[in-house]
């Protein structure tokens, strides 16, 4: 890290702290040449590779917006949507990859959304998984029932 004051290429880290959200590191640095101090903030960027081949930074607000559309007309609180967005981001970042496919983002949304609201889950899944007719909805409902039955047996 170059000193912003004297451009010295060598600086010393004096203090390191992790941000409240856990996704950034704040470092207090000192230049051995001019003795001035400055702060840097380091973050890891998570990229999403779109179907078109383009990549863009992960945006939690886009996840929340998509889920909000699936929850339209349902009694879901905004805090629950924000928590789901955070949960999806944590899941994706925990994989340790710098880039994930957009399909992986959709898959990461499905499980927490199912726990939040099954109707919203079916709405989201119908778009995400390209349901073509009643058979697809019936298969998804049967799958939900089978998972609920398995959960109650455990």
């Amino acid at each position: 890290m170059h000193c912003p004051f004297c451009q010295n290429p060598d600086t010393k880290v004096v203090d390191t702290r992790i941000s409240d959200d856990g996704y950034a590191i704040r470092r207090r640095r000192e230049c051995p040449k001019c003795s001035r101090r400055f702060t840097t903030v380091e973050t890891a960027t998570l990229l999403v590779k779109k179907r078109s081949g383009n990549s863009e930074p992960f945006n939690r607000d886009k996840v929340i917006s998509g889920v909000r559309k699936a929850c339209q007309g349902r009694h879901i609180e905004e805090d629950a949507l924000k928590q789901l967005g955070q949960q999806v981001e944590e899941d994706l970042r925990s994989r340790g990859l710098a880039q994930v496919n957009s399909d992986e983002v959709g898959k990461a949304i499905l499980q927490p959304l199912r726990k939040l609201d099954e109707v919203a889950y079916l709405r989201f899944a119908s778009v995400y998984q390209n349901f073509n007719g009643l058979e697809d909805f019936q298969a998804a409902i049967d799958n939900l029932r089978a998972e609920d039955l398995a959960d109650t047996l455990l």
Side-chain angles (χ1 to χ4, degrees):
M1 181 78 217
H2 290 272
C3 173
F5 306 107
C6 71
Q7 303 306 314
N8 181 29
D10 184 32
T11 59
K12 180 175 126 185
V13 175
V14 178
D15 183 39
T16 301
R17 295 184 187 194
I18 297 174
S19 67
D20 291 337
D21 65 4
Y23 296 117
I25 297 174
R26 179 187 166 272
R27 297 192 196 277
R28 191 75 180 139
R29 297 176 179 267
E30 182 177 11
C31 176
K33 186 176 176 185
C34 70
S35 298
R36 294 182 74 180
R37 290 185 173 197
F38 60 97
T39 302
T40 59
V41 178
E42 302 171 19
T43 59
T45 303
L46 176 63
L47 295 175
V48 177
K49 186 172 183 178
K50 309 294 268 180
R51 290 184 186 135
S52 65
N54 295 335
S55 291
E56 63 182 49
F58 176 83
N59 185 341
R60 188 187 302 179
D61 292 334
K62 287 179 88 171
V63 169
I64 294 169
S65 173
V67 172
R68 186 179 291 119
K69 289 174 188 170
C71 294
Q72 202 166 20
R74 307 290 298 163
H75 298 288
I76 309 294
E77 297 201 16
E78 189 65 25
D79 285 346
L81 295 177
K82 289 179 181 177
Q83 188 174 5
L84 185 142
Q86 181 176 352
Q87 190 175 357
V88 168
E89 184 173 0
E90 287 173 359
D91 176 22
L92 294 171
R93 287 188 184 275
S94 71
R95 299 175 190 192
L97 302 172
Q99 182 170 304
V100 294
N101 291 327
S102 58
D103 288 346
E104 292 300 314
V105 176
K107 288 177 186 174
I109 293 170
L110 287 173
Q111 195 59 34
L113 182 56
R114 179 178 182 259
K115 291 177 183 173
L116 182 65
D117 188 273
E118 288 181 337
V119 172
Y121 166 85
L122 283 173
R123 289 176 177 173
F124 187 87
S126 71
V127 174
Y128 172 70
Q129 296 173 341
N130 295 321
F131 285 13
N132 290 318
L134 292 176
E135 297 82 21
D136 293 334
F137 277 98
Q138 189 61 52
I141 291 169
D142 292 344
N143 195 14
L144 284 172
R145 286 187 177 142
E147 288 177 14
D148 283 345
L149 182 61
D151 288 345
T152 57
L153 293 176
L154 294 175

